[in-house]
Amino acid sequence: MSDEAEDLNEFNSWDTLGAMLMLTMVPAIMNYVFNEQDVVGSAVIAGIGVVISVAVFGLALLTRWRIISRVVNLLGCVLTTLYIALSVYLWVWGGDDEETASSETPTVQQ
């Protein structure tokens, strides 16, 4: 009975890769959605996210440190809250440019 209880929230190396990919792809998707479908900028952000994710995966795979999975889990909780707040802000107040651009276009009168 002296065995420690298994932590079911602990990530393994592959879970860390998946979580990091999801966390680093959200900014690329948000850039695409909220910046007039900027493909190049989103691809650059996604590329940087893949590099960061693979680096963390390599570190987790080679070292097998438990702290890495806990840090990724905590980072996921913090970033998810931040991403939701940023998305709501951009959705509600980020579209002012389109309204001013449409009102500034001259109309042709016949």
Side-chain angles (χ1 to χ4, degrees), residues 12-58:
N12 64 22
S13 310
W14 292 98
D15 293 332
T16 301
L17 175 66
M20 285 301 296
L21 280 173
M22 285 189 283
L23 289 174
T24 57
M25 289 302 116
V26 171
I29 293 168
M30 288 176 64
N31 182 55
Y32 181 79
V33 170
F34 293 113
N35 285 335
E36 299 174 3
Q37 299 178 349
D38 178 23
V39 176
V40 175
S42 297
V44 169
I45 294 171
I48 292 170
V50 167
V51 169
I52 291 171
S53 299
V54 169
V56 171
F57 169 66

Side-chain angles (χ1 to χ4, degrees), residues 44-94:
V44 169
I45 294 171
I48 292 170
V50 167
V51 169
I52 291 171
S53 299
V54 169
V56 171
F57 169 66
L59 185 65
L61 190 64
L62 294 176
T63 62
R64 301 276 185 205
W65 292 339
R66 289 183 173 180
I67 190 72
I68 294 173
S69 64
R70 291 181 182 158
V71 168
V72 169
N73 197 353
L74 178 65
L75 186 67
C77 293
V78 171
L79 284 180
T80 299
T81 305
L82 180 71
Y83 290 158
I84 290 170
L86 185 62
S87 296
V88 168
Y89 172 78
L90 290 173
W91 186 270
V92 174
W93 293 287

